[in-house]
Amino acid sequence: VQLQASGGGMVQAGDSLRLSCAVSGLSFSRYSLGWFRQAPGKEREFVAGICKNSERTRYSDAVKGRFTISRDNAKKMVHLQMDSLETEDTAVYYCAADGRAITSSCPRTHTSNYDHWGQGTLVTVSS
């Protein structure tokens, strides 16, 4: 199983970035997907999640209204569109796959819910 995140970089506050995650080695359409982030000295936190067939999405309060998660089951990709970036968004961003969520609970928000993780991509937002 491999999750390959890309699209990170250094931007200024107010700019946009689009993260992508290519997934291989698992039945993509059977997994809920999530994006998490970890800032220096902080715990990894949930950012956004999407159910298997995009029937529901969920966002942390910190990014709601600014970030949009989407998935392409045919291409086995998940994306995170990040608009109006703030310095507080600086972190390493990770994509993750959850194969155990049921429809009523997806997408889940705890790191322990996710079975597979990508290597992370660094987003740095300067003022």
Side-chain angles (χ1 to χ4, degrees):
V1 176
Q2 188 172 12
L3 289 80
Q4 185 70 40
S6 62
M10 183 178 296
V11 297
Q12 292 189 324
D15 286 350
S16 297
L17 271 178
R18 186 183 192 225
L19 305 184
S20 295
C21 179
V23 181
S24 61
L26 52 76
S27 298
F28 186 83
S29 62
R30 296 183 180 182
Y31 282 74
S32 295
L33 300 166
W35 285 97
F36 291 75
R37 68 185 181 186
Q38 188 166 18
K42 295 187 177 181
E43 293 186 354
R44 192 170 298 188
E45 64 175 3
F46 173 80
V47 174
I50 188 166
C51 298
K52 301 173 187 179
N53 295 303
S54 305
E55 59 267 43
R56 188 182 302 116
T57 58
R58 188 169 290 161
Y59 300 92
S60 69
D61 289 341
V63 308
K64 196 174 297 181
R66 301 188 296 120
F67 290 12
T68 304
I69 188 171
S70 62
R71 64 187 291 164
D72 185 332
N73 283 2
K75 295 182 179 180
K76 298 184 179 182
M77 298 281 293
V78 58
H79 306 285
L80 185 68
Q81 177 66 40
M82 307 186 296
D83 297 322
S84 303
L85 282 161
E86 303 170 353
T87 56
E88 292 80 10
D89 297 318
T90 295
V92 177
Y93 284 72
Y94 299 89
C95 55
D98 174 8
R100 293 169 289 144
I102 58 175
T103 302
S104 61
S105 65
C106 75
R108 299 193 288 181
T109 62
H110 294 285
T111 56
S112 61
N113 297 142
Y114 288 76
D115 311 299
H116 306 289
W117 292 83
Q119 86 290 355
T121 185
L122 177 62
V123 173
T124 303
V125 184
S126 61
S127 59

